[in-house]
Amino acid sequence: MAAKCSAVVLAGAIVLSPFAGRAFAKRRHRSQPVNSGNPSYQLYQLLNDSYGGKLKDFCILAGLYKSSKNPAQEYQRVLRVDYNKDNFFGRLEIHVRSVAKLTPVQLKTYPPRQIFKFAVSDSETFEKIHAGPFGEPGDLYLRASGGAPPAPAPITSRVRGQFADYIARYILPALQNKQ
């Protein structure tokens, strides 16, 4: 009985393997070219050409914003960027955290990586597979809400714009200046 089951499983694997390989290959390759002006395309090119296709724990400050609960309170966004061209899922990850607005002395004293660690948890995480607009199949957006850990959330036009803005205004310029 076990031999018959093994034979059926093996035969099924042999029959399905060419189809499974083609299905995976179709998912892995883009069907449409990406606009070279797209911020994530530019980021992928820079990281592949100048950083060997890998970036680990790159942290940067990314602007102030006012609290929705208390408009007098300002917070500083801090980003951590990880990239590995060899990964399929999560090839590019941008983690967003926030800390209370920093004083000039704190900004001089603490590097962005340490500031990122001061903020205990991510408020948002963007995960991207291929260069191109955020929200393509396989892209993932996580958002923390009400003190809960980040959970999958819809990718809206606001989220797409925020992703592109983080790359164009903060990440690309910092990495280009670091070269």
Side-chain angles (χ1 to χ4, degrees), residues 48-59:
N48 289 336
D49 295 346
S50 301
Y51 287 84
K54 295 190 188 313
L55 184 69
K56 184 83 173 138
D57 291 332
F58 178 73
C59 294

Side-chain angles (χ1 to χ4, degrees), residues 51-111:
Y51 287 84
K54 295 190 188 313
L55 184 69
K56 184 83 173 138
D57 291 332
F58 178 73
C59 294
I60 185 167
L61 301 178
L64 296 170
Y65 69 97
K66 293 188 183 289
S67 167
S68 60
K69 294 178 183 174
N70 180 4
Q73 180 68 44
E74 285 188 300
Y75 290 94
Q76 173 76 57
R77 283 190 181 95
V78 189
L79 310 179
R80 187 186 86 210
V81 181
D82 294 306
Y83 177 79
N84 186 338
K85 73 177 182 179
D86 296 329
N87 289 351
F88 182 67
F89 291 107
R91 185 170 290 156
L92 171 67
E93 295 179 357
I94 301 173
H95 301 270
V96 182
R97 293 185 179 179
S98 297
V99 295
K101 182 179 176 183
L102 301 165
T103 67
V105 172
Q106 289 171 319
L107 288 169
K108 288 180 183 178
T109 305
Y110 302 109

Side-chain angles (χ1 to χ4, degrees), residues 19-173:
F19 298 109
R22 279 192 220 124
F24 179 76
K26 284 183 182 180
R27 281 193 330 201
R28 194 161 172 87
H29 298 291
R30 299 186 57 82
S31 59
Q32 299 176 359
V34 178
N35 177 349
S36 63
N38 178 277
S40 71
Y41 175 83
Q42 294 174 358
L43 179 60
Y44 276 53
Q45 289 299 114
L46 176 67
L47 293 173
N48 289 336
D49 295 346
S50 301
Y51 287 84
K54 295 190 188 313
L55 184 69
K56 184 83 173 138
D57 291 332
F58 178 73
C59 294
I60 185 167
L61 301 178
L64 296 170
Y65 69 97
K66 293 188 183 289
S67 167
S68 60
K69 294 178 183 174
N70 180 4
Q73 180 68 44
E74 285 188 300
Y75 290 94
Q76 173 76 57
R77 283 190 181 95
V78 189
L79 310 179
R80 187 186 86 210
V81 181
D82 294 306
Y83 177 79
N84 186 338
K85 73 177 182 179
D86 296 329
N87 289 351
F88 182 67
F89 291 107
R91 185 170 290 156
L92 171 67
E93 295 179 357
I94 301 173
H95 301 270
V96 182
R97 293 185 179 179
S98 297
V99 295
K101 182 179 176 183
L102 301 165
T103 67
V105 172
Q106 289 171 319
L107 288 169
K108 288 180 183 178
T109 305
Y110 302 109
R113 181 174 287 136
Q114 199 167 7
I115 295 169
F116 183 82
K117 290 179 181 179
F118 288 155
V120 178
S121 64
D122 294 355
S123 57
E124 298 175 292
T125 301
F126 300 84
E127 292 187 16
K128 182 118 187 80
I129 296 174
H130 300 290
F134 191 68
E136 294 179 329
D139 293 350
L140 181 63
Y141 174 65
L142 305 171
R143 181 169 185 80
S145 179
I155 299 174
T156 63
S157 58
R158 183 195 67 78
V159 169
R160 282 190 275 283
Q162 192 175 9
F163 174 80
D165 188 55
Y166 286 151
I167 293 173
R169 287 184 58 198
Y170 302 107
I171 299 168
L172 269 173

